[in-house]
Amino acid sequence: MPQIAYLGPAGTFTEQATRSLTGDFDAELVPFETVPLALTAVRRGEVLAAGVPVENSVEGSVPATLDALTTDEPLVAVQEALLPVQFDLLVRPGTEQSAIRTVASHPHALAQVRDWLAANLPGAEVRATSSTAAGAAAVAAGEFDAAISAPVALEHYPSLERLVGGIADVRDAVTRFLLVRRPGKLPEPTGADRTSVCAVIGDEVGSLAELLAELSLRGINLSRIESRPIKDRFGEYRFFLDFDGHVADARIGDALTALRRRCSTVRFLGSYPKADRTPASVRETASEQAFRLSAQWVEDVRAGRLA
Ligand SMILES: O=C(O)C(=O)Cc1ccccc1
C-alpha cells in the first residue's frame, strides 16, 4: 500500500485534506512534524507523495510550503483539494475560560482567530506549534492551557474537551491543499486544470509586467501571484504563479516557452485538475485549433508552400 506523508500529528486539517486527496486509492497516511520534513520524505522516495497546505482564503499563502517546494529537488503537484476550516478551543476538562493563560496552535490558525482571541482571551499568551493538532497534544500533555484545533482533533485527543466551538473570525474560510510527488507522468488534462510555476526574474524595468503579459496575450487567466524572498540575496524574489490550463494545452506550452526564455529560473510545480472543476474559459484566438493552424501556417511558409 503506498505511503502518503502529511503535516501531523493525527487530527490536523492537512490530515483531513490528504484523506480526501487519496480517497480514490488505498494509502497509508504517515504524519510528519513539518511540511519540509514531509517533502524530504517524498524527495528521498520514502513515501509516494505528501499532502501539504498551500494557501488560505483568510491568511494567504503558507510560506513554509512555498519555500520547501522551491528548495532542493523539484516536486510537482498532481491533485488539489479545498477544505473549509473551522476552529474549536480545546482544553483539559474543568478549565475555565477565565483561567486560560496560554493558547497554542499553528500560526495560520492563530491568525484566523485573532479577533476572537482579542475579544475573549485578551490576557492569554499565544504560542505557535507545528500544527493545530500538535497544539492539542501539548494541551493534553499539560504544556499549555488551551489549543485552537480542527473540530476533528477531539477524536484524537479524547482527554480534551471543546470549551468553545466555531471561533473563526471569518466564517466559510477555505484552505487549499496539494498532493505533491516526484516528477513523473503528469495528470491528464481535463479542461479544468491549474498550472503552478515559480519564476525568478531580473530586477529590471518592466520585467514582471512583461512576464504577466506573456500570459494575458495568450488569454491565460492568472489565479494567484505571490512573491517570496530568495533569501540569500536581499531584494530578489521568486514569483509563484498559478494560472488556468494544463502544460499539455497549446497556449500554456507557448506561454511557458516564453517564460523560460525571459526568466533566469522557472520551476514547473505541476498541472493538475482544479478542485472546483470550473472549466478554463479559452478565447477563440487561444484555442488548440488556433494554435495548431497558426503553427501549420508558419511551417508552410518556411517550406515555401505558402506566403
Ligand atoms: O495545523 C494544521 O492542522 C494544518 O493542517 C495547517 C493549517 C493550519 C490552519 C489552517 C489550515 C491548515
Side-chain angles (χ1 to χ4, degrees):
M1 193 188 303
Q3 292 191 310
I4 312 289
Y6 71 94
L7 171 66
T12 58
F13 290 107
T14 308
E15 183 196 7
Q16 273 175 270
T18 308
R19 285 203 188 282
S20 84
L21 286 165
T22 56
D24 296 346
F25 56 98
D26 281 337
E28 182 195 341
L29 267 52
V30 186
F32 283 81
E33 199 185 330
T34 65
V35 167
L37 286 173
L39 295 182
T40 299
V42 182
R43 288 191 171 103
R44 290 188 181 149
E46 292 162 8
V47 293
L48 179 69
V52 293
V54 265
E55 66 166 323
N56 176 271
S57 58
V58 176
E59 197 39 29
S61 71
V62 182
T65 303
L66 297 187
D67 290 346
L69 281 174
T70 46
T71 43
D72 298 329
E73 310 287 293
L75 294 171
V76 290
V78 291
Q79 254 176 278
E80 168 184 270
L82 292 175
L83 187 77
V85 286
Q86 258 304 341
F87 301 102
D88 287 347
L89 187 73
L90 305 186
V91 294
R92 291 181 298 280
T95 308
E96 308 239 326
Q97 195 162 318
S98 57
I100 295 176
R101 301 272 169 270
T102 48
V103 185
S105 195
H106 186 278
H108 250 252
L110 291 167
Q112 290 179 64
V113 299
R114 201 178 283 135
D115 295 347
W116 188 91
L117 287 176
N120 297 280
L121 292 173
E125 248 181 65
V126 158
R127 302 288 181 84
T129 48
S130 54
S131 70
T132 53
V139 171
E143 287 170 45
F144 307 115
D145 299 325
I148 289 153
S149 297
V152 64
L154 255 194
E155 292 169 23
H156 299 277
Y157 301 95
S159 67
L160 299 182
E161 68 179 24
R162 176 186 300 117
L163 190 62
V164 192
I167 63 172
D169 295 336
V170 176
R171 278 179 46 207
D172 308 325
V174 171
T175 299
R176 187 162 78 98
F177 296 83
L178 294 173
L179 189 69
V180 301
R181 297 181 58 153
R182 289 199 279 181
K185 191 176 173 313
L186 300 180
E188 295 294 325
T190 65
D193 307 295
R194 195 187 313 284
T195 291
S196 300
V197 299
C198 173
V200 180
I201 48 175
D203 179 13
E204 286 150 27
V205 174
S207 56
L208 177 60
E210 286 173 19
L211 185 154
L212 297 180
E214 298 287 2
L215 301 179
S216 65
L217 287 172
R218 293 170 178 86
I220 297 169
N221 180 45
L222 181 73
S223 53
R224 188 171 74 110
I225 177 164
E226 194 92 42
S227 66
R228 293 282 305 149
I230 281 186
K231 298 190 195 305
D232 54 353
R233 295 194 298 275
F234 183 72
E236 289 191 38
Y237 301 90
R238 294 189 164 89
F239 288 90
F240 289 83
L241 309 174
D242 284 355
F243 39 85
D244 287 359
H246 192 289
V247 65
D249 299 338
R251 69 188 191 291
I252 303 294
D254 206 49
L256 285 182
T257 313
L259 259 54
R260 189 68 201 85
R261 268 191 288 110
R262 280 187 183 279
C263 305
S264 56
T265 312
V266 181
R267 187 177 273 212
F268 174 70
L269 295 173
S271 287
Y272 45 88
K274 290 197 282 184
D276 65 10
R277 301 289 188 265
T278 334
S281 107
V282 184
R283 60 171 84 128
E284 187 43 45
T285 51
S287 67
E288 295 297 300
Q289 155 135 317
F291 269 93
R292 196 172 52 248
L293 292 178
S294 54
Q296 183 61 55
W297 178 79
V298 172
E299 281 215 355
D300 287 342
V301 168
R302 283 179 177 158
R305 289 188 292 269
L306 276 178

